[in-house]
Amino acid sequence: AMIVEQMAGLAEASDAELQDMYAGLGLPRADVSRQVVMSRLKCYMLWQEFKPAELRKECARYGISATEEPEEIIWKLVLKSWGYFTEDLPDAARRPEFEPPPRQKKASGTCSSKLAGSFKTLGLQLTASQEDVKKSYRRLALQHHPDKNHCRREAASIEFQKVADAYEVVMEHLKKLGK
């Protein structure tokens, strides 16, 4: 629940406060829109909540090696996914000064894990819009609907329910953020 509150706080923050949070990550102030800054901060917050295995999967999407500690993995994700380097990540001697805030300890079974899992179930990135969520839900609901899968009705019913649950979690989250 804490991460949902933090993300909701982003929507209420002023542009200057968002830029301060962004700069607090050790990065130069962003010359991008408010929505982009908010999206990046949300990704960072979710990455902090990810388990190491989830971080490694995220790195695989960006073609980043993920053999380091979680803080270092998050650093690489930030740089690569936000376009701070277009080539391969630099070695330690060429890194910009970057001191990520310490990872927050999380209680097991927190809402953020459920939220991240829900995005994954729907096959979406963490920055997806409500429209993206609706499109993905419709596609997956049709694909897994028990009436469309006569031969494997029970398995389809379970998958269909997972998709429906994920849709509810993600849409509730996006509504709270006003997205």
Side-chain angles (χ1 to χ4, degrees):
M2 186 171 72
I3 190 154
V4 173
E5 293 169 9
Q6 289 175 341
M7 287 186 176
L10 289 178
E12 298 168 4
S14 69
D15 289 348
E17 290 170 326
L18 288 174
Q19 286 291 339
D20 288 345
M21 286 183 235
Y22 192 85
L25 297 178
L27 299 169
R29 293 193 178 273
D31 188 24
V32 293
S33 72
R34 174 184 174 85
Q35 284 302 113
V36 170
V37 171
M38 283 179 53
S39 176
R40 289 177 176 182
L41 290 171
K42 288 175 191 175
C43 282
Y44 179 80
M45 289 175 180
L46 284 171
W47 288 335
Q48 277 198 314
E49 297 296 319
F50 278 8
K51 295 176 183 170
E54 294 168 319
L55 281 173
R56 285 190 293 277
K57 287 179 186 176
E58 216 33 34
C59 284
R61 286 184 40 221
Y62 291 100
I64 300 170
S65 70
T67 57
E68 298 86 0
E69 293 296 312
E71 290 80 9
E72 186 72 12
I73 293 171
I74 292 169
W75 179 82
K76 285 182 169 186
L77 282 168
V78 164
L79 295 179
K80 188 77 168 191
S81 68
W82 297 355
Y84 280 95
F85 298 114
T86 55
E87 67 276 355
D88 292 330
L89 291 173
D91 59 32
R94 294 182 46 210
R95 288 187 182 153
E97 292 185 24
F98 178 83
E99 290 296 324
R103 288 175 55 111
Q104 298 172 352
K105 300 289 184 202
K106 65 177 185 177
S108 60
T110 62
C111 181
S112 60
S113 296
K114 184 176 182 180
L115 180 61
S118 296
F119 274 100
K120 184 177 178 181
T121 298
L122 294 172
L124 296 170
Q125 293 185 359
L126 304 174
T127 57
S129 67
Q130 279 190 359
E131 189 61 33
D132 295 332
V133 174
K134 288 176 184 178
K135 285 179 186 177
S136 179
Y137 171 71
R138 286 184 197 118
R139 181 181 52 79
L140 292 169
L142 282 172
Q143 178 183 343
H144 296 293
H145 197 283
D147 292 343
K148 300 256 184 196
N149 293 280
H150 297 290
C151 296
R152 48 180 219 94
R153 187 178 298 264
E154 190 172 321
S157 180
I158 291 168
E159 286 301 312
F160 181 79
Q161 189 59 51
K162 285 181 186 176
V163 169
D165 291 344
Y167 174 76
E168 286 182 32
V169 169
V170 171
M171 289 303 286
E172 180 66 29
H173 164 72
L174 293 176
K175 286 178 186 172
K176 285 181 183 177
L177 295 178
K179 204 173 179 185

Short mmCIF file of all heavy atoms in Angstrom, two decimals, residues 2-68:
data_model
loop_
_atom_site.label_atom_id
_atom_site.label_comp_id
_atom_site.label_asym_id
_atom_site.label_seq_id
_atom_site.Cartn_x
_atom_site.Cartn_y
_atom_site.Cartn_z
N MET A 2 2.08 1.16 0.55
CA MET A 2 2.95 2.32 0.65
C MET A 2 3.32 2.84 -0.74
O MET A 2 3.31 4.04 -0.99
CB MET A 2 4.21 1.99 1.43
CG MET A 2 5.09 3.19 1.69
SD MET A 2 6.44 2.89 2.82
CE MET A 2 7.51 1.87 1.82
N ILE A 3 3.64 1.95 -1.67
CA ILE A 3 4.05 2.40 -3.00
C ILE A 3 2.89 3.05 -3.74
O ILE A 3 3.07 4.02 -4.47
CB ILE A 3 4.69 1.28 -3.83
CG1 ILE A 3 5.31 1.89 -5.09
CG2 ILE A 3 3.67 0.24 -4.21
CD1 ILE A 3 6.42 1.11 -5.66
N VAL A 4 1.69 2.55 -3.53
CA VAL A 4 0.52 3.16 -4.17
C VAL A 4 0.36 4.59 -3.66
O VAL A 4 0.09 5.50 -4.44
CB VAL A 4 -0.74 2.31 -3.91
CG1 VAL A 4 -1.97 3.01 -4.43
CG2 VAL A 4 -0.60 0.94 -4.55
N GLU A 5 0.55 4.79 -2.36
CA GLU A 5 0.47 6.13 -1.79
C GLU A 5 1.57 7.03 -2.34
O GLU A 5 1.33 8.20 -2.65
CB GLU A 5 0.56 6.06 -0.27
CG GLU A 5 -0.64 5.38 0.37
CD GLU A 5 -0.42 5.09 1.86
OE1 GLU A 5 0.59 5.54 2.44
OE2 GLU A 5 -1.27 4.38 2.42
N GLN A 6 2.79 6.48 -2.48
CA GLN A 6 3.89 7.27 -3.02
C GLN A 6 3.60 7.68 -4.46
O GLN A 6 3.86 8.82 -4.84
CB GLN A 6 5.19 6.47 -2.96
CG GLN A 6 5.74 6.29 -1.57
CD GLN A 6 6.96 5.39 -1.55
OE1 GLN A 6 7.21 4.63 -2.48
NE2 GLN A 6 7.73 5.47 -0.47
N MET A 7 3.07 6.76 -5.22
CA MET A 7 2.77 7.07 -6.62
C MET A 7 1.63 8.08 -6.72
O MET A 7 1.65 8.95 -7.58
CB MET A 7 2.44 5.79 -7.40
CG MET A 7 3.66 4.96 -7.66
SD MET A 7 3.23 3.59 -8.72
CE MET A 7 4.83 2.86 -8.95
N ALA A 8 0.66 7.96 -5.85
CA ALA A 8 -0.43 8.93 -5.84
C ALA A 8 0.12 10.32 -5.48
O ALA A 8 -0.34 11.33 -6.01
CB ALA A 8 -1.52 8.51 -4.86
N GLY A 9 1.11 10.35 -4.62
CA GLY A 9 1.74 11.61 -4.25
C GLY A 9 2.43 12.29 -5.42
O GLY A 9 2.53 13.51 -5.46
N LEU A 10 2.90 11.51 -6.38
CA LEU A 10 3.53 12.10 -7.57
C LEU A 10 2.54 12.96 -8.34
O LEU A 10 2.89 14.03 -8.83
CB LEU A 10 4.07 11.00 -8.49
CG LEU A 10 5.29 10.22 -8.02
CD1 LEU A 10 5.65 9.14 -9.03
CD2 LEU A 10 6.47 11.14 -7.78
N ALA A 11 1.32 12.47 -8.46
CA ALA A 11 0.31 13.21 -9.21
C ALA A 11 0.00 14.55 -8.55
O ALA A 11 -0.36 15.51 -9.23
CB ALA A 11 -0.96 12.38 -9.35
N GLU A 12 0.14 14.61 -7.24
CA GLU A 12 -0.17 15.83 -6.50
C GLU A 12 1.03 16.78 -6.41
O GLU A 12 0.88 17.93 -6.03
CB GLU A 12 -0.64 15.46 -5.10
CG GLU A 12 -1.91 14.62 -5.10
CD GLU A 12 -2.21 14.01 -3.74
OE1 GLU A 12 -1.48 14.27 -2.76
OE2 GLU A 12 -3.19 13.23 -3.67
N ALA A 13 2.22 16.30 -6.77
CA ALA A 13 3.43 17.10 -6.64
C ALA A 13 3.48 18.18 -7.72
O ALA A 13 3.00 17.99 -8.83
CB ALA A 13 4.66 16.21 -6.73
N SER A 14 4.11 19.29 -7.37
CA SER A 14 4.32 20.36 -8.36
C SER A 14 5.42 19.94 -9.32
O SER A 14 6.17 19.00 -9.06
CB SER A 14 4.72 21.66 -7.65
OG SER A 14 6.03 21.52 -7.11
N ASP A 15 5.55 20.66 -10.42
CA ASP A 15 6.61 20.37 -11.39
C ASP A 15 7.98 20.48 -10.73
O ASP A 15 8.86 19.65 -10.97
CB ASP A 15 6.53 21.31 -12.59
CG ASP A 15 5.33 21.02 -13.48
OD1 ASP A 15 4.69 19.96 -13.30
OD2 ASP A 15 5.02 21.84 -14.37
N ALA A 16 8.16 21.50 -9.91
CA ALA A 16 9.45 21.69 -9.23
C ALA A 16 9.74 20.53 -8.28
O ALA A 16 10.89 20.06 -8.21
CB ALA A 16 9.45 23.01 -8.47
N GLU A 17 8.73 20.07 -7.56
CA GLU A 17 8.92 18.94 -6.66
C GLU A 17 9.28 17.67 -7.42
O GLU A 17 10.14 16.90 -7.00
CB GLU A 17 7.66 18.70 -5.82
CG GLU A 17 7.40 19.78 -4.79
CD GLU A 17 6.03 19.66 -4.14
OE1 GLU A 17 5.06 19.24 -4.81
OE2 GLU A 17 5.94 19.99 -2.93
N LEU A 18 8.63 17.46 -8.57
CA LEU A 18 8.96 16.29 -9.40
C LEU A 18 10.39 16.37 -9.89
O LEU A 18 11.12 15.37 -9.86
CB LEU A 18 8.00 16.19 -10.59
CG LEU A 18 6.57 15.75 -10.28
CD1 LEU A 18 5.71 15.83 -11.53
CD2 LEU A 18 6.54 14.34 -9.71
N GLN A 19 10.81 17.56 -10.32
CA GLN A 19 12.19 17.72 -10.79
C GLN A 19 13.18 17.49 -9.66
O GLN A 19 14.24 16.90 -9.86
CB GLN A 19 12.40 19.11 -11.41
CG GLN A 19 11.76 19.28 -12.76
CD GLN A 19 12.44 18.46 -13.85
OE1 GLN A 19 13.59 18.05 -13.75
NE2 GLN A 19 11.70 18.20 -14.92
N ASP A 20 12.83 17.93 -8.44
CA ASP A 20 13.69 17.68 -7.28
C ASP A 20 13.81 16.19 -7.00
O ASP A 20 14.89 15.69 -6.68
CB ASP A 20 13.16 18.41 -6.05
CG ASP A 20 13.36 19.92 -6.12
OD1 ASP A 20 14.15 20.38 -6.99
OD2 ASP A 20 12.71 20.63 -5.34
N MET A 21 12.68 15.46 -7.08
CA MET A 21 12.72 14.01 -6.86
C MET A 21 13.59 13.35 -7.92
O MET A 21 14.38 12.46 -7.61
CB MET A 21 11.30 13.43 -6.92
CG MET A 21 10.45 13.73 -5.72
SD MET A 21 8.85 12.91 -5.89
CE MET A 21 7.75 14.30 -5.71
N TYR A 22 13.44 13.79 -9.15
CA TYR A 22 14.22 13.24 -10.26
C TYR A 22 15.71 13.50 -10.03
O TYR A 22 16.54 12.59 -10.15
CB TYR A 22 13.75 13.89 -11.56
CG TYR A 22 14.24 13.21 -12.81
CD1 TYR A 22 13.56 12.13 -13.35
CD2 TYR A 22 15.36 13.68 -13.48
CE1 TYR A 22 13.99 11.52 -14.52
CE2 TYR A 22 15.79 13.07 -14.65
CZ TYR A 22 15.11 12.00 -15.16
OH TYR A 22 15.54 11.39 -16.31
N ALA A 23 16.04 14.74 -9.68
CA ALA A 23 17.44 15.08 -9.41
C ALA A 23 17.95 14.31 -8.19
O ALA A 23 19.14 13.99 -8.12
CB ALA A 23 17.57 16.58 -9.19
N GLY A 24 17.06 13.97 -7.26
CA GLY A 24 17.44 13.20 -6.09
C GLY A 24 17.92 11.80 -6.42
O GLY A 24 18.57 11.15 -5.60
N LEU A 25 17.64 11.34 -7.61
CA LEU A 25 18.15 10.04 -8.04
C LEU A 25 19.61 10.13 -8.48
O LEU A 25 20.23 9.12 -8.79
CB LEU A 25 17.31 9.50 -9.21
CG LEU A 25 15.84 9.21 -8.92
CD1 LEU A 25 15.15 8.74 -10.19
CD2 LEU A 25 15.71 8.17 -7.83
N GLY A 26 20.15 11.35 -8.52
CA GLY A 26 21.52 11.53 -8.94
C GLY A 26 21.66 11.82 -10.42
O GLY A 26 22.75 11.76 -10.97
N LEU A 27 20.55 12.13 -11.06
CA LEU A 27 20.54 12.40 -12.49
C LEU A 27 20.37 13.89 -12.73
O LEU A 27 19.82 14.59 -11.89
CB LEU A 27 19.40 11.63 -13.16
CG LEU A 27 19.47 10.12 -13.03
CD1 LEU A 27 18.18 9.48 -13.48
CD2 LEU A 27 20.63 9.58 -13.83
N PRO A 28 20.80 14.37 -13.90
CA PRO A 28 20.56 15.79 -14.20
C PRO A 28 19.06 16.05 -14.31
O PRO A 28 18.29 15.15 -14.62
CB PRO A 28 21.26 15.99 -15.54
CG PRO A 28 21.45 14.64 -16.11
CD PRO A 28 21.47 13.67 -14.98
N ARG A 29 18.68 17.26 -14.04
CA ARG A 29 17.26 17.61 -14.17
C ARG A 29 16.80 17.27 -15.58
O ARG A 29 17.51 17.49 -16.55
CB ARG A 29 17.02 19.07 -13.85
CG ARG A 29 17.27 19.38 -12.39
CD ARG A 29 16.73 20.74 -12.02
NE ARG A 29 16.94 20.98 -10.61
CZ ARG A 29 16.08 20.61 -9.65
NH1 ARG A 29 14.98 20.00 -9.97
NH2 ARG A 29 16.34 20.87 -8.40
N ALA A 30 15.61 16.74 -15.67
CA ALA A 30 15.11 16.26 -16.96
C ALA A 30 14.49 17.39 -17.76
O ALA A 30 13.72 18.18 -17.24
CB ALA A 30 14.07 15.17 -16.73
N ASP A 31 14.83 17.45 -19.02
CA ASP A 31 14.23 18.41 -19.94
C ASP A 31 13.16 17.68 -20.75
O ASP A 31 13.22 17.61 -21.97
CB ASP A 31 15.30 19.01 -20.85
CG ASP A 31 14.76 20.17 -21.67
OD1 ASP A 31 13.76 20.79 -21.25
OD2 ASP A 31 15.32 20.43 -22.75
N VAL A 32 12.21 17.10 -20.03
CA VAL A 32 11.12 16.34 -20.63
C VAL A 32 9.82 16.74 -19.96
O VAL A 32 9.82 17.43 -18.95
CB VAL A 32 11.35 14.81 -20.51
CG1 VAL A 32 12.54 14.35 -21.34
CG2 VAL A 32 11.54 14.41 -19.06
N SER A 33 8.71 16.28 -20.49
CA SER A 33 7.41 16.66 -19.95
C SER A 33 7.18 16.12 -18.54
O SER A 33 7.83 15.18 -18.10
CB SER A 33 6.30 16.15 -20.87
OG SER A 33 6.18 14.74 -20.75
N ARG A 34 6.22 16.71 -17.88
CA ARG A 34 5.82 16.28 -16.53
C ARG A 34 5.43 14.80 -16.54
O ARG A 34 5.81 14.05 -15.66
CB ARG A 34 4.64 17.15 -16.06
CG ARG A 34 4.03 16.71 -14.76
CD ARG A 34 2.81 17.57 -14.39
NE ARG A 34 2.15 17.06 -13.21
CZ ARG A 34 2.49 17.36 -11.97
NH1 ARG A 34 3.50 18.18 -11.74
NH2 ARG A 34 1.84 16.85 -10.94
N GLN A 35 4.69 14.37 -17.57
CA GLN A 35 4.24 12.98 -17.66
C GLN A 35 5.42 12.03 -17.76
O GLN A 35 5.41 10.96 -17.17
CB GLN A 35 3.30 12.78 -18.85
CG GLN A 35 1.90 13.33 -18.63
CD GLN A 35 1.22 12.72 -17.41
OE1 GLN A 35 0.97 13.40 -16.43
NE2 GLN A 35 0.93 11.44 -17.46
N VAL A 36 6.43 12.41 -18.53
CA VAL A 36 7.62 11.56 -18.68
C VAL A 36 8.35 11.45 -17.34
O VAL A 36 8.76 10.36 -16.93
CB VAL A 36 8.55 12.08 -19.79
CG1 VAL A 36 9.88 11.34 -19.79
CG2 VAL A 36 7.88 11.95 -21.15
N VAL A 37 8.53 12.57 -16.64
CA VAL A 37 9.19 12.55 -15.34
C VAL A 37 8.40 11.67 -14.37
O VAL A 37 8.98 10.82 -13.67
CB VAL A 37 9.36 13.98 -14.77
CG1 VAL A 37 9.85 13.94 -13.33
CG2 VAL A 37 10.31 14.78 -15.64
N MET A 38 7.07 11.84 -14.34
CA MET A 38 6.25 11.01 -13.45
C MET A 38 6.38 9.54 -13.81
O MET A 38 6.51 8.69 -12.92
CB MET A 38 4.78 11.45 -13.51
CG MET A 38 4.51 12.71 -12.75
SD MET A 38 2.79 13.26 -12.82
CE MET A 38 1.90 11.82 -12.30
N SER A 39 6.34 9.23 -15.07
CA SER A 39 6.45 7.84 -15.53
C SER A 39 7.78 7.24 -15.11
O SER A 39 7.84 6.10 -14.62
CB SER A 39 6.29 7.79 -17.05
OG SER A 39 6.47 6.49 -17.52
N ARG A 40 8.85 8.00 -15.27
CA ARG A 40 10.17 7.51 -14.88
C ARG A 40 10.27 7.29 -13.37
O ARG A 40 10.82 6.29 -12.92
CB ARG A 40 11.25 8.48 -15.34
CG ARG A 40 11.45 8.47 -16.84
CD ARG A 40 12.47 9.49 -17.27
NE ARG A 40 12.72 9.40 -18.71
CZ ARG A 40 13.59 10.16 -19.35
NH1 ARG A 40 14.29 11.07 -18.70
NH2 ARG A 40 13.74 10.01 -20.64
N LEU A 41 9.73 8.23 -12.60
CA LEU A 41 9.76 8.07 -11.14
C LEU A 41 8.94 6.86 -10.70
O LEU A 41 9.33 6.14 -9.78
CB LEU A 41 9.27 9.35 -10.46
CG LEU A 41 10.21 10.56 -10.57
CD1 LEU A 41 9.52 11.82 -10.06
CD2 LEU A 41 11.51 10.32 -9.83
N LYS A 42 7.82 6.62 -11.36
CA LYS A 42 7.00 5.44 -11.04
C LYS A 42 7.77 4.16 -11.33
O LYS A 42 7.75 3.22 -10.52
CB LYS A 42 5.70 5.46 -11.83
CG LYS A 42 4.71 6.50 -11.38
CD LYS A 42 3.50 6.53 -12.31
CE LYS A 42 2.62 7.72 -12.05
NZ LYS A 42 1.52 7.81 -13.01
N CYS A 43 8.42 4.13 -12.48
CA CYS A 43 9.23 2.94 -12.81
C CYS A 43 10.30 2.72 -11.75
O CYS A 43 10.49 1.59 -11.29
CB CYS A 43 9.90 3.12 -14.17
SG CYS A 43 8.83 2.84 -15.56
N TYR A 44 10.97 3.80 -11.37
CA TYR A 44 12.02 3.68 -10.36
C TYR A 44 11.45 3.12 -9.05
O TYR A 44 12.02 2.21 -8.45
CB TYR A 44 12.69 5.03 -10.12
CG TYR A 44 13.76 4.95 -9.06
CD1 TYR A 44 15.02 4.47 -9.38
CD2 TYR A 44 13.49 5.31 -7.75
CE1 TYR A 44 16.00 4.36 -8.41
CE2 TYR A 44 14.47 5.21 -6.78
CZ TYR A 44 15.72 4.73 -7.11
OH TYR A 44 16.68 4.61 -6.15
N MET A 45 10.29 3.64 -8.64
CA MET A 45 9.67 3.16 -7.40
C MET A 45 9.33 1.67 -7.49
O MET A 45 9.55 0.92 -6.55
CB MET A 45 8.40 3.95 -7.10
CG MET A 45 8.65 5.36 -6.67
SD MET A 45 7.05 6.22 -6.50
CE MET A 45 7.58 7.83 -6.00
N LEU A 46 8.78 1.27 -8.62
CA LEU A 46 8.44 -0.14 -8.79
C LEU A 46 9.69 -1.01 -8.84
O LEU A 46 9.71 -2.09 -8.25
CB LEU A 46 7.59 -0.35 -10.04
CG LEU A 46 6.13 0.08 -9.88
CD1 LEU A 46 5.41 0.04 -11.21
CD2 LEU A 46 5.41 -0.79 -8.87
N TRP A 47 10.72 -0.54 -9.54
CA TRP A 47 11.95 -1.32 -9.59
C TRP A 47 12.53 -1.52 -8.19
O TRP A 47 13.07 -2.58 -7.89
CB TRP A 47 12.99 -0.65 -10.49
CG TRP A 47 12.67 -0.72 -11.95
CD1 TRP A 47 11.90 -1.66 -12.58
CD2 TRP A 47 13.11 0.18 -12.96
NE1 TRP A 47 11.83 -1.39 -13.93
CE2 TRP A 47 12.57 -0.27 -14.19
CE3 TRP A 47 13.91 1.31 -12.96
CZ2 TRP A 47 12.81 0.37 -15.40
CZ3 TRP A 47 14.14 1.95 -14.16
CH2 TRP A 47 13.60 1.48 -15.36
N GLN A 48 12.41 -0.53 -7.34
CA GLN A 48 12.89 -0.68 -5.97
C GLN A 48 12.15 -1.79 -5.23
O GLN A 48 12.70 -2.42 -4.35
CB GLN A 48 12.73 0.62 -5.19
CG GLN A 48 13.83 1.60 -5.41
CD GLN A 48 13.85 2.63 -4.32
OE1 GLN A 48 12.81 3.18 -3.95
NE2 GLN A 48 15.01 2.89 -3.78
N GLU A 49 10.91 -2.02 -5.59
CA GLU A 49 10.09 -3.02 -4.92
C GLU A 49 10.28 -4.42 -5.49
O GLU A 49 9.89 -5.39 -4.88
CB GLU A 49 8.61 -2.64 -5.00
CG GLU A 49 8.27 -1.34 -4.31
CD GLU A 49 8.50 -1.38 -2.82
OE1 GLU A 49 8.16 -2.41 -2.19
OE2 GLU A 49 9.02 -0.40 -2.26
N PHE A 50 10.86 -4.50 -6.68
CA PHE A 50 11.03 -5.80 -7.34
C PHE A 50 11.98 -6.69 -6.56
O PHE A 50 12.95 -6.22 -5.97
CB PHE A 50 11.59 -5.63 -8.75
CG PHE A 50 10.59 -5.27 -9.81
CD1 PHE A 50 9.28 -4.97 -9.50
CD2 PHE A 50 10.98 -5.24 -11.12
CE1 PHE A 50 8.38 -4.64 -10.49
CE2 PHE A 50 10.08 -4.92 -12.13
CZ PHE A 50 8.77 -4.63 -11.81
N LYS A 51 11.73 -7.98 -6.64
CA LYS A 51 12.66 -8.97 -6.12
C LYS A 51 13.80 -9.07 -7.14
O LYS A 51 13.63 -8.72 -8.30
CB LYS A 51 11.95 -10.31 -5.98
CG LYS A 51 10.85 -10.28 -4.96
CD LYS A 51 10.12 -11.59 -4.91
CE LYS A 51 8.95 -11.49 -3.92
NZ LYS A 51 8.07 -12.63 -3.99
N PRO A 52 14.98 -9.58 -6.72
CA PRO A 52 16.10 -9.68 -7.66
C PRO A 52 15.76 -10.42 -8.96
O PRO A 52 16.19 -10.00 -10.03
CB PRO A 52 17.18 -10.41 -6.85
CG PRO A 52 16.89 -9.99 -5.44
CD PRO A 52 15.39 -9.92 -5.35
N ALA A 53 14.99 -11.48 -8.88
CA ALA A 53 14.62 -12.22 -10.09
C ALA A 53 13.80 -11.34 -11.04
O ALA A 53 13.99 -11.40 -12.26
CB ALA A 53 13.84 -13.48 -9.72
N GLU A 54 12.90 -10.52 -10.48
CA GLU A 54 12.10 -9.63 -11.31
C GLU A 54 12.98 -8.55 -11.96
O GLU A 54 12.77 -8.17 -13.11
CB GLU A 54 11.00 -8.97 -10.48
CG GLU A 54 9.96 -9.96 -9.98
CD GLU A 54 9.04 -9.35 -8.92
OE1 GLU A 54 9.53 -8.61 -8.03
OE2 GLU A 54 7.84 -9.63 -8.97
N LEU A 55 13.98 -8.07 -11.20
CA LEU A 55 14.90 -7.08 -11.76
C LEU A 55 15.70 -7.68 -12.92
O LEU A 55 15.92 -7.02 -13.94
CB LEU A 55 15.87 -6.58 -10.69
CG LEU A 55 15.32 -5.54 -9.72
CD1 LEU A 55 16.32 -5.27 -8.60
CD2 LEU A 55 14.97 -4.27 -10.43
N ARG A 56 16.13 -8.93 -12.77
CA ARG A 56 16.89 -9.58 -13.85
C ARG A 56 16.04 -9.71 -15.11
O ARG A 56 16.52 -9.52 -16.22
CB ARG A 56 17.42 -10.93 -13.39
CG ARG A 56 18.61 -10.80 -12.43
CD ARG A 56 19.29 -12.13 -12.17
NE ARG A 56 18.46 -13.06 -11.43
CZ ARG A 56 18.33 -13.09 -10.12
NH1 ARG A 56 18.99 -12.21 -9.38
NH2 ARG A 56 17.57 -13.97 -9.51
N LYS A 57 14.75 -10.02 -14.95
CA LYS A 57 13.86 -10.12 -16.11
C LYS A 57 13.72 -8.76 -16.79
O LYS A 57 13.71 -8.66 -18.01
CB LYS A 57 12.48 -10.63 -15.69
CG LYS A 57 12.46 -12.10 -15.35
CD LYS A 57 11.08 -12.54 -14.93
CE LYS A 57 11.09 -13.98 -14.46
NZ LYS A 57 9.79 -14.41 -13.95
N GLU A 58 13.61 -7.72 -16.00
CA GLU A 58 13.50 -6.36 -16.54
C GLU A 58 14.78 -6.02 -17.31
O GLU A 58 14.73 -5.43 -18.38
CB GLU A 58 13.32 -5.41 -15.37
CG GLU A 58 12.47 -4.23 -15.40
CD GLU A 58 11.21 -4.12 -16.18
OE1 GLU A 58 10.45 -5.07 -16.36
OE2 GLU A 58 10.98 -3.00 -16.63
N CYS A 59 15.93 -6.42 -16.77
CA CYS A 59 17.20 -6.17 -17.45
C CYS A 59 17.26 -6.91 -18.78
O CYS A 59 17.77 -6.38 -19.76
CB CYS A 59 18.37 -6.61 -16.56
SG CYS A 59 18.71 -5.45 -15.22
N ALA A 60 16.75 -8.12 -18.80
CA ALA A 60 16.75 -8.91 -20.04
C ALA A 60 15.98 -8.17 -21.14
O ALA A 60 16.38 -8.21 -22.31
CB ALA A 60 16.15 -10.29 -19.80
N ARG A 61 14.90 -7.49 -20.77
CA ARG A 61 14.12 -6.73 -21.76
C ARG A 61 14.96 -5.62 -22.40
O ARG A 61 14.74 -5.24 -23.54
CB ARG A 61 12.90 -6.09 -21.10
CG ARG A 61 11.82 -7.07 -20.76
CD ARG A 61 10.56 -6.43 -20.19
NE ARG A 61 10.21 -5.18 -20.83
CZ ARG A 61 9.78 -4.11 -20.17
NH1 ARG A 61 9.64 -4.13 -18.87
NH2 ARG A 61 9.47 -3.00 -20.81
N TYR A 62 15.91 -5.07 -21.64
CA TYR A 62 16.72 -3.97 -22.13
C TYR A 62 18.11 -4.43 -22.59
O TYR A 62 18.94 -3.60 -22.94
CB TYR A 62 16.87 -2.89 -21.06
CG TYR A 62 15.58 -2.15 -20.79
CD1 TYR A 62 14.78 -2.47 -19.69
CD2 TYR A 62 15.15 -1.14 -21.64
CE1 TYR A 62 13.59 -1.80 -19.46
CE2 TYR A 62 13.96 -0.47 -21.41
CZ TYR A 62 13.20 -0.80 -20.32
OH TYR A 62 12.02 -0.13 -20.08
N GLY A 63 18.38 -5.73 -22.53
CA GLY A 63 19.68 -6.25 -22.95
C GLY A 63 20.80 -5.85 -22.02
O GLY A 63 21.91 -5.56 -22.44
N ILE A 64 20.51 -5.82 -20.72
CA ILE A 64 21.48 -5.40 -19.71
C ILE A 64 21.87 -6.63 -18.89
O ILE A 64 21.02 -7.42 -18.50
CB ILE A 64 20.86 -4.35 -18.77
CG1 ILE A 64 20.41 -3.12 -19.56
CG2 ILE A 64 21.82 -3.96 -17.67
CD1 ILE A 64 19.58 -2.15 -18.73
N SER A 65 23.17 -6.75 -18.59
CA SER A 65 23.59 -7.83 -17.69
C SER A 65 23.11 -7.49 -16.28
O SER A 65 23.05 -6.33 -15.90
CB SER A 65 25.10 -8.01 -17.71
OG SER A 65 25.72 -6.91 -17.08
N ALA A 66 22.77 -8.52 -15.53
CA ALA A 66 22.20 -8.29 -14.21
C ALA A 66 22.85 -9.20 -13.17
O ALA A 66 22.18 -9.97 -12.51
CB ALA A 66 20.70 -8.50 -14.24
N THR A 67 24.14 -9.07 -13.02
CA THR A 67 24.85 -9.93 -12.08
C THR A 67 25.20 -9.20 -10.78
O THR A 67 25.75 -9.79 -9.87
CB THR A 67 26.14 -10.47 -12.72
OG1 THR A 67 26.94 -9.35 -13.15
CG2 THR A 67 25.83 -11.35 -13.91
N GLU A 68 24.88 -7.92 -10.72
CA GLU A 68 25.25 -7.10 -9.56
C GLU A 68 24.17 -7.12 -8.49
O GLU A 68 23.17 -7.78 -8.60
CB GLU A 68 25.50 -5.65 -10.01
CG GLU A 68 26.62 -5.48 -11.00
CD GLU A 68 26.16 -5.68 -12.43
OE1 GLU A 68 24.97 -5.95 -12.65
OE2 GLU A 68 27.01 -5.59 -13.33
#
